[in-house]
Amino acid sequence: MTKLKSVEELKKIRDEARKDLMSRVQTGTRIIIGMGTCGIAAGAREVMQAVLKELDNRKIEAHVETVGCVGMCAKEPLVDVEQAGKSRVRYGNITQEKVPRLIEEHLIRGQVIQEWAVSRMEAQKT
Amino acid sequence: MIELSLHLLDMIQNSIEASASKIEIRIDEDLQADLLRIEIKDNGRGLSEEQTARVLDPFYTTRKTRHVGLGLPLLSEACRRCEGALEIRSLPGAGTTIRGTFRHSHVDRAPLGDMTSVLLALLLSEPPLDWLYIHRVDEEEFRLDSSEIQKELMEIPLTHPKVRKWLMGFWAEAENGLSIRALPARVGA
């Protein structure tokens, strides 16, 4: 692809994005994926890709971010789900296959999946 | 790590933890010289001389959460296995540059793998980063600079789902083109 053509495309994307920007600000849900050495070795990358895909498929807005090591290597891949005003729940041993259920139950229905949860923390102030 | 891209994700995370605001990633495939070079340069807090000397020791880590630090030792080992080496240059307050070399055709060299995940790692970092990515195969180069993209996007963040999707597609296409070029010439073809 020529540089010029890609710049044109970017501008098109920009104009499309502008139309729906207002609905995308501050949804208040954060999904945090552990991406330390241990997380990556345990498959965190595939989990990250699965999370983004699932959110896209269901047209859900959530803020996805990666963090480094949190010292729970044995339970990697770790995924934290934090919803505005609620506590932050950390899920352990999450695989690509578990991602759809995680999004469905926790994000959509607001129910913590007890058997996968490893801890619960106070939500960070953002 | 079964793909070199996974090592890159790991190094990006190191840079983020060192409070870097800009990361430069260069991948250089010189087929004539049979050399693959990977370089990650950040402007984070850097390492002291003593830390740089110890950073390849798996039982040394700057973090407080556990007592081992395997990221760099794993990468170093991957280089050494392929007749290459890992070089670390760092100064406190002046960032860190990590450069790994591999013999391109070495039987033990892991493939680059899914390079679009490198883009994802850059996009999902918190707080947002400036980044520059350059992947060369001989004379052909794919170069992407986050600040140039941001200029075109104006106020729209790079992490916007629509932008992310477009970037992923664009990146994947470029990487595909390069990986075809980097294939060893078929004998007798």
Side-chain angles (χ1 to χ4, degrees):
Chain A
M1 203 188 298
T2 60
K3 209 174 173 88
L4 201 66
K5 192 165 159 225
S6 56
V7 168
E8 287 305 312
E9 282 192 21
L10 257 180
K11 286 184 173 145
K12 218 162 50 200
I13 298 282
R14 179 186 70 205
D15 296 337
E16 278 177 38
R18 271 190 184 147
K19 287 187 203 127
D20 61 1
L21 192 68
M22 295 322 291
S23 63
R24 294 181 183 278
V25 184
Q26 293 294 328
T27 54
T29 300
R30 289 165 78 219
I31 297 177
I32 302 142
I33 300 157
M35 274 283 188
T37 309
C38 42
I40 293 167
R45 176 179 70 174
E46 285 66 31
V47 170
M48 162 179 84
Q49 289 164 327
V51 166
L52 289 170
K53 201 170 124 205
E54 193 65 22
L55 291 173
D56 278 350
N57 289 350
R58 294 171 175 272
K59 308 244 182 302
I60 305 173
E61 280 305 311
H63 186 80
V64 181
E65 55 187 90
T66 60
V67 292
C69 165
V70 290
M72 288 203 220
C73 314
K75 295 205 190 314
E76 292 279 4
L78 290 160
V79 176
D80 294 9
V81 181
E82 185 181 277
Q83 286 179 300
K86 295 181 188 162
S87 63
R88 172 168 164 182
V89 178
R90 174 163 294 158
Y91 291 104
N93 301 110
I94 293 300
T95 57
Q96 294 174 74
E97 293 74 27
K98 288 179 178 171
V99 167
R101 184 179 156 197
L102 189 71
I103 305 267
E104 166 81 31
E105 290 196 27
H106 193 136
L107 258 68
I108 297 177
R109 288 196 252 136
Q111 291 170 340
V112 175
I113 306 172
Q114 296 294 350
E115 70 256 44
W116 294 350
V118 291
S119 68
R120 187 188 285 255
M121 293 151 283
E122 285 306 303
Q124 286 177 11
K125 310 231 178 341
T126 41
Chain B
M1 301 274 182
I2 52 173
E3 290 177 11
L4 295 181
S5 56
L6 293 169
H7 285 292
L8 277 165
L9 295 191
D10 202 5
M11 295 304 117
I12 290 168
Q13 206 62 52
N14 280 351
S15 296
I16 294 168
E17 308 235 351
S19 313
S21 60
K22 184 162 175 68
I23 298 182
E24 292 177 19
I25 295 170
R26 282 185 176 74
I27 293 161
D28 217 334
E29 300 185 66
D30 185 338
L31 303 178
Q32 285 299 310
D34 196 14
L35 184 74
L36 168 66
R37 196 171 61 227
I38 292 181
E39 195 177 274
I40 302 106
K41 182 177 172 192
D42 72 41
N43 64 350
R45 76 175 70 89
L47 297 160
S48 68
E49 210 169 320
E50 188 231 2
Q51 283 175 319
T52 307
R54 294 192 58 193
V55 87
L56 291 181
D57 171 359
F59 296 101
Y60 177 75
T61 176
T62 56
R63 76 170 74 77
K64 304 283 181 281
T65 46
R66 56 179 154 95
H67 303 293
V68 291
L70 295 175
L72 280 159
L74 279 172
L75 180 55
S76 168
E77 198 48 44
C79 295
R80 263 174 16 89
R81 266 202 308 267
C82 303
E83 297 169 39
L86 186 70
E87 239 187 290
I88 302 160
R89 286 199 310 273
S90 188
L91 280 171
T96 302
T97 302
I98 286 164
R99 180 191 281 183
T101 52
F102 304 79
R103 183 151 73 80
H104 198 289
S105 64
H106 198 285
V107 67
D108 288 325
R109 181 182 67 82
L112 284 170
D114 178 6
M115 294 302 280
T116 59
S117 60
V118 172
L119 168 67
L120 276 186
L122 292 167
L123 288 179
L124 300 185
S125 72
E126 201 59 44
L129 288 167
D130 273 329
W131 45 264
L132 169 67
Y133 175 83
I134 300 172
H135 183 175
R136 284 180 66 119
V137 178
D138 287 345
E139 298 309 301
E140 194 149 336
E141 184 180 275
F142 169 53
R143 181 178 187 280
L144 217 50
D145 182 333
S146 66
S147 60
E148 284 174 18
I149 302 168
Q150 196 60 69
K151 213 165 63 197
E152 297 298 337
L153 288 171
M154 298 185 184
E155 79 288 357
I156 307 288
L158 264 80
T159 47
H160 188 293
K162 280 204 167 83
V163 176
R164 194 181 67 218
K165 256 191 209 152
W166 181 82
L167 270 177
M168 288 291 279
F170 183 62
W171 192 292
E173 200 181 331
E175 287 295 339
N176 272 339
L178 286 173
S179 66
I180 290 164
R181 277 194 68 114
L183 288 173
R186 268 189 27 226
V187 179

